[in-house]
Structure formats: C-alpha cells, structure tokens
Amino acid sequence: MTRIKLCGLTRDEDIDAVNSILPDYIGFVFFAKSSRYIDKEQAVRLKQKLDGRVKAVGVFVDEKVEAVADLLSEGVIDMAQLHGNEDDRYINELRGLTGKPVIKAFRIKGKDDIRRAELSVADHILLDAGTGDGKTFDWQWLKDIKRPFFLAGGLDTGNVYDAVKNIRPFAVDTSSGIESDGVKDPEKMKAFTDIVRSVTDNG
C-alpha cells in the first residue's frame, strides 16, 4: 500500500482537512526561505491539533543537528526530512541523539543520483526533481531501483494515479500539487488522497 504525505502545512484549516483525510504523514517546513515556512511555535500549535494517527515530518535544509534533534525530542515532529547537504555522518548523529527516523531527500537529475540515494544510511530516501518547484523527473530512471522510496516532485491529481500504479513507490509526497493560489486546498488534498488509495485498493 503506497503511503501518502501532504507537505507544507501552515494553517489550522490545513490540519482540519488532514484530520478528516488521515494521510500517513504531513510535513512542516522549517526552512526560512520557503514560502511554506513555519516556526517552532506554529508547529507546536498545529501538532497539538493533529490527529495522532498522522506522523508529522519536519523538513530542513542544512539546519544545525542540535536544532533538529530538539524538535524531535520534544515531540514537535515525529521524523526529520533533510533536503540540504546533510551526509551520512550527520544522519547518524541525528539518529543517535533522538532514535527517530530520518528521511534524506535527493535531487534526481539522472540514474547516478538514484544509485547515490540507494546507498544512504537514512531510514527512508525521498527522490525529488528539485526544491518544491512542482516539476517531475524521468520516472523511467526508477525501473531498476532496489530500495523503497518516497516519490516527490510535481505530483498532483493529474499524474499520481500513474505514479502509484506504474512505479509503486513506498510513499508519494506532494505540496504545490494540493494548493490553489498558494494555499492548501482541502478538495485537492482529499482528491489526491482518494486517487492514491483507489490504486492501492484495486491492486
């Protein structure tokens, strides 16, 4: 069953929508340059409203390992997702400090990037086309991948059916694909989730 992650939540309304949909994961972005950035206080409030069946993932870009560990240890987030230059040493240090799962994101420009991702010591790998720009990469590069992965980059209600049916990722991750005018759209969030589940339910 392909899992679902809805990323870049910033508002109480986003959490209300998530609680009615119950994806597997949601994402809070702690990268200050992102339009979806939230600070710790906002994340604490939103996490308190979040249904406990949904895991909260913190998204970081070259953040100090201690800062990420604090958010994990305090329960503000359940997992960390790393989008910068964090290496295996960083990942091992973070996991040693917290014992919590780590997702390492890789920007995929060719098959070599996929091979590099497969070697990561992270608990999960996420394969993305870029940095939240809503673009996809060539999914044909994934046909020989040996490791489960989160698929991200340009996923929306128009292409996620094909992605799940043909590629069978461990999870799909979307942000801009469930937005209207730059904010999360509850109807798109539900439609995206329903499509993924329909593929999974029908095998």
Side-chain angles (χ1 to χ4, degrees):
M1 177 179 290
T2 296
R3 292 161 175 80
I4 300 163
K5 178 168 172 279
L6 306 180
C7 200
L9 307 191
T10 60
R11 308 174 302 157
D12 288 9
E13 302 97 298
D14 301 341
I15 300 297
D16 292 339
V18 161
N19 287 344
S20 68
I21 297 168
L22 295 178
D24 301 277
Y25 312 95
I26 58 97
F28 295 143
V29 178
F30 293 96
F31 180 49
K33 293 182 180 179
S34 170
S35 61
R36 304 177 185 95
Y37 168 76
I38 61 172
D39 60 23
K40 179 180 178 179
E41 288 70 27
Q42 291 171 287
V44 167
R45 191 188 77 249
L46 295 175
K47 177 67 184 304
Q48 288 173 344
K49 289 175 60 75
L50 181 66
D51 189 297
R53 290 171 285 183
V54 182
K55 298 294 185 185
V57 180
V59 178
F60 304 91
V61 179
D62 297 325
E63 183 60 78
K64 291 181 179 178
V65 68
E66 295 83 4
V68 181
D70 285 347
L71 290 167
L72 286 164
S73 298
E74 293 174 22
V76 180
I77 53 174
D78 304 300
M79 304 170 67
Q81 180 174 314
L82 309 175
H83 272 264
N85 297 305
E86 305 90 356
D87 57 13
D88 285 351
R89 181 179 177 181
Y90 180 108
I91 293 167
N92 283 328
E93 182 178 358
L94 179 59
R95 202 158 39 201
L97 288 169
T98 67
K100 299 293 181 68
V102 177
I103 305 168
K104 175 59 183 154
F106 292 86
R107 188 171 185 175
I108 305 302
K109 297 180 180 179
K111 291 182 180 179
D112 288 345
D113 295 318
I114 292 172
R115 285 190 281 271
R116 183 166 55 89
E118 287 185 291
L119 297 174
S120 173
V121 300
D123 300 274
H124 301 281
I125 56 173
L126 182 146
L127 309 181
D128 199 352
T131 52
D133 53 10
K135 296 179 181 178
T136 61
F137 61 89
D138 188 346
W139 295 339
Q140 288 296 314
W141 295 335
L142 297 169
K143 64 181 181 179
D144 297 321
I145 193 168
K146 306 287 195 299
R147 179 173 177 173
F149 59 93
F150 282 68
L151 179 64
L155 292 176
D156 56 28
T157 55
N159 61 13
V160 72
Y161 179 91
D162 287 339
V164 175
K165 186 172 182 62
N166 297 325
I167 301 172
R168 301 289 180 180
F170 171 80
V172 288
D173 186 348
T174 187
S175 186
S176 60
I178 49 171
E179 292 179 349
S180 295
D181 299 322
V183 296
K184 292 296 179 283
D185 183 326
E187 292 185 4
K188 289 184 178 180
M189 294 165 76
K190 185 176 188 305
F192 183 93
T193 305
D194 287 347
I195 291 168
V196 176
R197 288 174 175 161
S198 75
V199 183
T200 301
D201 292 343
N202 294 326

